[in-house]
Amino acid sequence: MRPTVRSRRLGSRLGHYRQRSGLSGTELAARIGIHQATWSKIETGKAKPSPRVLDRIVAELAIPADAVAQLDELRRKAEEPGWWQDYGDILSEAVQLLIELEADASWIRTYEGHLVPGLLQTRDYAERVITAAAPHIRVSDVDRYLELRMRRQKRLAEGLRLTAFLGEAAVHQQVGGPDTLRDQLRHITRVTEEHDVTVRVVPFTADAHAALGDSFVIIQWPDESDPQAVYVDGVTSWTVHERDGVIRSYLHAIASVQSQALSPRDSLDLIRHVIKELP
């Protein structure tokens, strides 16, 4: 079984309850009647427990009743195909994992120094970004990439909370020309009014901060005991971080960015000013 975000979340939460109980993986496996190697795969998301095994785990670890239903839902959905798999022939592993991370997220925080984040891009803006990054892409594939990006944005209408920090360069860079940028900036102002979206601009006059030269996405799931994940994408490589120490570093980075960013109101005022100044 290929680990999925949901199977890893399930394994991580079960591992959390095991550690809280003071049992080792070997001790718990013996008590619930499975091999230690099987338990190791469950904790790492490479296997999912059967309903019977999950019942034994719940009983042995005294997992609270209000958490059991959530664990069972993760177990059932661990191998469900996501809608994004319809685009599997054009998706890189990196993008597929990002969408999978977004699928159940309750709050996403992102920092982009030079571009508007994908969840906020208009179709025209996104088309220019995609074709600039991959100039030899087939026209038919461009249309599918755009369809995919617009579909991802439906999460905003489903209650996803988004906090996006943008470098001021992203507000001025005329991606696609002034008309495309104008429409893009107007779209940002509309989205902040219609959904749980906060946009904050880091102005050119800001001091150095911990995310300079970087861009990343911090994903949080509804249950506070769920681990956060950080997605970092570059021109030639991508990484998903789930270790506590690395996540703390990115939480520090986003806090550093926040300390230098304009307030949400001042950020929108700046965006509206740029709209008026565009030719």
Side-chain angles (χ1 to χ4, degrees):
M1 172 179 166
R2 181 184 72 84
T4 64
V5 170
R6 287 166 179 161
S7 66
R8 292 204 311 273
R9 287 174 61 201
L10 173 61
S12 178
R13 289 168 74 169
L14 292 176
H16 166 77
Y17 286 118
R18 177 188 60 75
Q19 292 169 6
R20 193 177 69 173
S21 74
L23 294 173
S24 68
T26 301
E27 290 169 333
L28 178 60
R31 292 192 183 192
I32 61 177
I34 64 174
H35 292 293
Q36 191 279 332
T38 300
W39 173 256
S40 178
K41 289 180 179 179
I42 289 173
E43 276 204 18
T44 57
K46 295 177 181 177
K48 69 175 183 178
S50 67
R52 182 176 297 179
V53 169
L54 183 59
D55 288 343
R56 292 175 188 166
I57 296 170
V58 166
E60 191 64 44
L61 299 181
I63 296 176
D66 58 350
V68 174
Q70 295 175 340
L71 293 173
D72 188 55
E73 182 178 11
L74 284 175
R75 189 200 67 79
R76 288 186 291 103
K77 290 184 175 181
E79 295 181 80
E80 280 186 6
W83 59 263
W84 54 89
Q85 292 183 9
D86 292 342
Y87 302 86
D89 58 315
I90 63 169
L91 278 183
S92 67
E93 184 180 355
V95 175
Q96 183 166 332
L97 182 54
L98 175 60
I99 298 172
E100 192 175 342
L101 288 165
E102 292 173 350
D104 294 332
S106 59
W107 185 21
I108 288 178
R109 283 167 284 179
T110 181
Y111 171 71
E112 288 275 1
H114 297 90
L115 286 174
V116 173
L119 287 172
L120 294 176
Q121 291 177 4
T122 63
R123 189 179 181 90
D124 288 345
Y125 185 100
E127 182 175 7
R128 187 67 193 108
V129 170
I130 291 168
T131 55
H136 304 298
I137 192 171
R138 294 182 303 178
V139 173
S140 59
D141 285 346
V142 171
D143 289 340
R144 294 184 69 208
Y145 276 116
L146 291 171
E147 182 182 273
L148 174 71
R149 189 156 300 187
M150 298 303 105
R151 193 165 176 180
R152 282 174 57 201
Q153 295 178 7
K154 290 182 179 180
R155 289 287 287 113
L156 299 177
E158 296 168 354
L160 173 66
R161 178 185 178 191
L162 174 64
T163 303
F165 294 92
L166 312 179
E168 188 175 346
V171 177
H172 289 279
Q173 186 78 37
Q174 293 187 17
V175 173
D179 290 341
T180 296
L181 179 60
R182 183 183 296 106
D183 289 342
Q184 173 63 73
L185 297 180
R186 285 173 175 164
H187 176 70
I188 289 174
T189 64
R190 286 195 300 270
V191 171
T192 60
E193 295 171 355
E194 296 171 358
H195 303 300
D196 191 2
V197 173
T198 301
V199 173
R200 298 185 62 178
V201 177
V202 182
F204 288 136
T205 55
D207 198 352
H209 55 75
L212 277 177
D214 207 350
S215 62
F216 55 89
V217 181
I218 301 175
I219 297 102
Q220 176 70 47
W221 290 283
D223 191 320
E224 292 183 1
S225 67
D226 278 340
Q228 294 176 323
V230 177
Y231 176 89
V232 183
D233 196 3
V235 176
T236 59
S237 63
W238 61 275
T239 310
V240 172
H241 298 288
E242 296 177 293
R243 296 195 308 275
D244 289 344
V246 179
I247 289 172
R248 282 195 296 271
S249 296
Y250 279 97
L251 291 175
H252 165 72
I254 205 75
S256 177
V257 171
Q258 182 172 321
S259 72
Q260 297 292 329
L262 299 174
S263 70
R265 175 177 294 181
D266 289 344
S267 296
L268 291 178
D269 285 345
L270 172 61
I271 288 171
R272 293 186 181 104
H273 175 73
V274 173
I275 292 172
K276 291 180 181 178
E277 293 297 312
L278 283 168

